[in-house]
Amino acid sequence: MSAHAIEHVEDHHDDHGHHHKETFLTKYIFSQDHKMISKQYLITGLFMGIIGIAMSILFRLQLAWPDKEFTIYEVLLGKWGEGGVMDPNVYLALVTIHGTIMVFFVLTAGLSGTFSNLLIPLQIGARDMASGFLNMVSYWLFFLSSVIMVMSLFVEAGPASAGWTIYPPLSALPQAIPGSGAGMTLWLVSMAIFIASSLLGSLNYIVTVLNLRTKGMSMTRLPLTIWAFFVTAIIGVVSFPVLFSAALMLIMDRSFGTSFFLSDIYIAGEVLHNQGGSPVLFEHLFWFLGHPEVYIVILPAMGMVSEIMATNARKPIFGYRAMVASILAIAFLSTIVWGHHMFISGMNPFLGSVFTFTTLLIAIPSAVKSFNWITTIWRGNLQMNTGMLFSIGFVSTFITGGLTGIILGDSALDINVHDTYFVVAHFHLVMGISALYGLFAGVYHWFPKMFQGRMLNKNLGYVHFWVTVIGAYGVFFPMHFIGMAGLPRRYYTNTAFPYFDDLADVNVVITIFAIITAAAQLVFLYNFIHSMFHGKKGPKNPWKSTTLEWTAEVKHIHGNWDGPIPHVHRWAYDYSKLNKDETDYVIPGQDYIPQHIPIKDNEEELNH
């Protein structure tokens, strides 16, 4: 494409948006503007998060006081909570839907959907996504799948109850347990639509990053956020279709009489005709998505934390190239470690040792990132705003949660703690809580970009952070110990086992912390909704950040920049940069240089 043609395209873009009048429908509902779509993702994700957290409080009450009657069960669970007693079947359903909602609908769509959409065009200097229409379709498919997942809660026989991993035969036989019927069917339909949404979104993000970068924005000048979103999208495109095939085969087994995952089944005295299938095949297919999935969840958080830490330490990110390399290494390794979820499935011990090796390898790029974050804030001029606090909290939970992964990744050690609360504690800390902290950090940091310059209340943010951080450790730290004592996951009560009587008090402590932590999220919700309309307006670049999104108009316009798109002349992390003779900052009195400022005579370009 010639320079003349490119200019022509840019000019065409520049007067785009002044021709047609936007209606309420095209602006707020079926919007093709990436900024509005990111808000739709965030608000849908927060709504699903409220449901997911409410479910966890219900089953935590049951675990702490299994013999007590709670009228809240009757109010919220209807016939499943008659007389204030929780039905064992609905306990399984709550655990299943809680896991599904939090992993897919909150952390995958909430994180990637919100921030990839908001930041990719703004940080690379693009007018919008490569395809606004596909972007819109991607959100509405996600919305539809969310609606179906919530609908499944109201099915007569109850929602899916086979755990969020939906292993057959519980999930493959409609007659197995109450939740195996229509609830399971709706779960599968919802997930199939969710996968379609995720793939459309991912393809859009990849194409946008590759093709729509502004002049001067080479790949090595991209902020780490964009690298993270880009690689996350690639992992999604590689691994989500595998889950889609597993869901499709499960639908076939359930409704069309095939035997992909079923063999030699006897149920209620009846011999089923199914022969030759294998539930372990399902485990392979599920975890081939399931493990990359946890990196799809954590990588966007890692990218945002890198950006927020560098900005608030007023220092360049330490080891930019190592950070990019570790993102790529994590992406590659994430596709060859899925077998560590299956050490006790009867797999060949030699294969187990191979998966142990690859799993321990993934600790290397993770450690590189952790050390680089610590080195970035080392001796920095730290601005302890809420986004920074949540970023530091993220590094803390990522390290503490990651250390237990070394035990679970070892095939010999895993046998002792597999399917206990030790596993629950591990993945909630390293994936759940860490990714949530990344989400919160991103919301506090980019809120003014989303809501036209309005800021979240800082003091409410501090309350939210401290209660959440203490509460989350209060929930998941004791879980490691009851797990090592052998307490199994997914049991709705342990009163039948005198061996576990001593652990009952620990479950009470965990539940009290869980209720306090959930209450702290109400502070965040109030802050979020109130600030959306009444938050105080901050300056155009409130955090004195170098990246391009803060050069765009505060008022949301279609096309992001009113005039021409800024060109890029430097990398994204020129903080506290001194001139050649080291007497003052390059721009006197200003400790940051935005990416669109040309290199000056009295400075060297940083060769990160």
Side-chain angles (χ1 to χ4, degrees):
M1 202 172 182
S2 70
H4 172 71
I6 289 173
E7 268 173 40
H8 174 71
V9 170
E10 285 211 355
D11 292 344
H12 169 70
H13 272 304
D14 287 344
D15 27 273
H16 186 57
H18 302 297
H19 302 318
H20 55 246
K21 185 85 189 79
E22 286 196 305
T23 63
F24 178 82
L25 267 179
T26 59
K27 184 167 184 195
Y28 293 105
I29 312 295
F30 297 109
S31 171
Q32 298 191 18
D33 183 347
H34 70 101
K35 298 179 291 299
M36 183 55 67
I37 292 173
S38 82
K39 287 190 264 192
Q40 291 176 320
Y41 265 111
L42 180 60
I43 288 164
T44 313
L46 288 177
F47 176 76
M48 294 300 277
I50 294 167
I51 298 175
I53 289 172
M55 289 180 163
S56 67
I57 297 304
L58 284 176
F59 61 69
R60 278 304 335 161
L61 286 173
Q62 165 66 25
L63 284 167
W65 299 285
D67 302 328
K68 281 210 173 68
E69 294 170 5
F70 290 97
T71 45
I72 191 167
Y73 293 163
E74 204 150 12
V75 175
L76 292 178
L77 302 174
K79 65 172 185 181
W80 303 102
E82 272 176 13
V85 178
M86 186 184 285
D87 184 294
N89 287 307
V90 88
Y91 175 84
L92 287 178
L94 288 172
V95 173
T96 301
I97 305 295
H98 162 79
T100 308
I101 283 180
M102 297 310 274
V103 171
F104 294 108
F105 293 82
V106 179
L107 296 178
T108 304
L111 257 176
S112 290
T114 302
F115 292 103
S116 299
N117 268 311
L118 179 71
L119 296 176
I120 288 177
L122 283 166
Q123 288 195 336
I124 66 174
R127 293 279 176 211
D128 206 314
M129 283 287 176
S131 167
F133 178 75
L134 270 189
N135 212 11
M136 176 186 79
V137 171
S138 155
Y139 169 73
W140 282 104
L141 286 173
F142 164 58
F143 182 80
L144 177 64
S145 75
S146 305
V147 169
I148 294 173
M149 191 58 76
V150 173
M151 269 170 47
S152 77
L153 302 176
F154 301 98
V155 168
E156 179 68 22
S161 318
W164 81 278
T165 56
I166 57 159
Y167 284 177
L170 270 189
S171 57
L173 296 172
Q175 66 270 48
I177 47 174
S180 296
M184 189 69 235
T185 304
L186 286 174
W187 192 100
L188 287 164
V189 171
S190 169
M191 282 315 297
I193 296 170
F194 178 87
I195 291 165
S197 149
S198 173
L199 286 173
L200 288 179
S202 294
L203 290 170
N204 217 350
Y205 307 149
I206 293 168
V207 172
T208 307
V209 172
L210 289 179
N211 289 349
L212 295 186
R213 303 193 304 281
T214 184
K215 186 170 188 231
M217 179 63 87
S218 62
M219 292 298 273
T220 49
R221 283 178 176 168
L222 286 175
L224 288 168
T225 36
I226 304 300
W227 269 108
F229 298 144
F230 175 58
V231 173
T232 300
I234 293 171
I235 305 176
V237 169
V238 168
S239 57
F240 264 118
V242 180
L243 181 66
F244 187 71
S245 66
L248 221 54
M249 287 193 228
L250 201 46
I251 290 170
M252 304 288 256
D253 272 14
R254 292 170 55 78
S255 308
F256 301 106
T258 56
S259 304
F260 290 112
F261 308 128
L262 295 170
S263 188
D264 303 314
I265 303 275
Y266 300 82
I267 186 160
E270 180 196 354
V271 183
L272 298 189
H273 70 274
N274 303 87
Q275 278 297 321
S278 164
V280 177
L281 168 63
F282 179 87
E283 289 189 34
H284 279 294
L285 292 173
F286 181 89
W287 287 114
F288 189 81
L289 158 94
H291 203 81
E293 166 64 24
V294 303
Y295 290 100
I296 290 172
V297 162
I298 204 82
L299 277 177
M302 288 175 161
M304 295 193 307
V305 162
S306 305
E307 177 67 33
I308 295 167
M309 276 197 167
T311 302
N312 288 309
R314 313 311 294 161
K315 276 178 64 187
I317 188 82
F318 185 86
Y320 175 88
R321 288 183 179 228
M323 285 302 230
V324 172
S326 60
I327 289 175
L328 295 169
I330 284 173
F332 169 67
L333 289 170
S334 77
T335 60
I336 53 169
V337 295
W338 78 92
H340 65 214
H341 297 267
M342 302 168 54
F343 285 143
I344 63 165
S345 65
M347 62 157 49
N348 184 322
F350 174 72
L351 193 57
S353 65
V354 172
F355 279 122
T356 299
F357 175 65
T358 56
T359 302
L360 298 184
L361 272 186
I362 214 164
I364 298 169
S366 306
V368 166
K369 297 193 93 57
S370 301
F371 287 125
N372 282 6
W373 286 318
I374 293 166
T375 319
T376 299
I377 57 174
W378 176 252
R379 299 186 68 182
N381 171 17
L382 303 185
Q383 313 296 308
M384 284 299 188
N385 51 47
T386 327
M388 182 62 158
L389 287 174
F390 270 111
S391 299
I392 294 170
F394 168 92
V395 177
S396 164
T397 52
F398 183 69
I399 293 172
T400 47
L403 285 174
T404 52
I406 295 174
I407 296 165
L408 294 169
D410 185 307
S411 52
L413 297 175
D414 175 68
I415 291 168
N416 306 289
V417 285
H418 186 91
D419 254 341
T420 67
Y421 274 90
F422 192 84
V423 179
V424 179
H426 158 72
F427 74 77
H428 275 83
L429 272 182
V430 78
M431 176 185 94
I433 300 296
S434 298
L436 268 183
Y437 287 177
L439 177 71
F440 287 140
V443 170
Y444 281 102
H445 190 78
W446 280 289
F447 191 86
K449 201 69 238 160
M450 281 188 188
F451 295 104
Q452 319 214 354
R454 294 192 186 278
M455 311 280 282
L456 283 161
N457 181 308
K458 197 172 178 179
N459 292 333
L460 286 178
Y462 287 150
V463 172
H464 176 217
F465 171 75
W466 284 110
V467 180
T468 302
V469 112
I470 294 164
Y473 268 136
V475 170
F476 297 113
F477 199 73
M479 264 190 203
H480 291 91
F481 297 105
I482 58 176
M484 285 192 285
L487 194 70
R489 304 167 65 173
R490 296 180 173 149
Y491 283 25
Y492 78 108
T493 174
N494 300 296
T495 42
F497 309 104
Y499 174 71
F500 294 131
D501 285 352
D502 296 345
L503 304 178
D505 296 344
V506 185
N507 260 331
V508 173
V509 170
I510 292 174
T511 296
I512 290 166
F513 271 118
I515 292 167
I516 294 167
T517 313
Q521 309 320 305
L522 297 175
V523 175
F524 169 72
L525 275 179
Y526 167 77
N527 193 0
F528 186 88
I529 293 165
H530 183 264
S531 303
M532 208 191 296
F533 302 107
H534 307 294
K536 85 170 195 301
K537 294 242 176 174
K540 185 174 181 180
N541 185 354
W543 317 116
K544 298 186 168 48
S545 188
T546 58
T547 41
L548 288 182
E549 76 268 31
W550 305 105
T551 65
E553 315 306 315
V554 175
K555 187 174 175 341
H556 283 182
I557 56 168
H558 203 65
N560 297 337
W561 286 271
D562 219 359
I565 297 177
H567 292 169
V568 170
H569 299 278
R570 56 180 72 240
W571 73 322
Y573 298 100
D574 270 339
Y575 292 104
S576 305
K577 188 176 183 187
L578 300 174
N579 55 24
K580 274 185 181 160
D581 42 8
E582 302 198 355
T583 50
D584 195 359
Y585 294 130
V586 173
I587 303 176
Q590 181 176 312
D591 67 350
Y592 69 103
I593 315 168
Q595 282 190 278
H596 66 290
I597 305 287
I599 298 282
K600 296 190 171 1
D601 298 337
N602 66 342
E603 65 166 319
E604 292 172 39
E605 183 171 2
L606 277 184
N607 192 10
H608 38 272

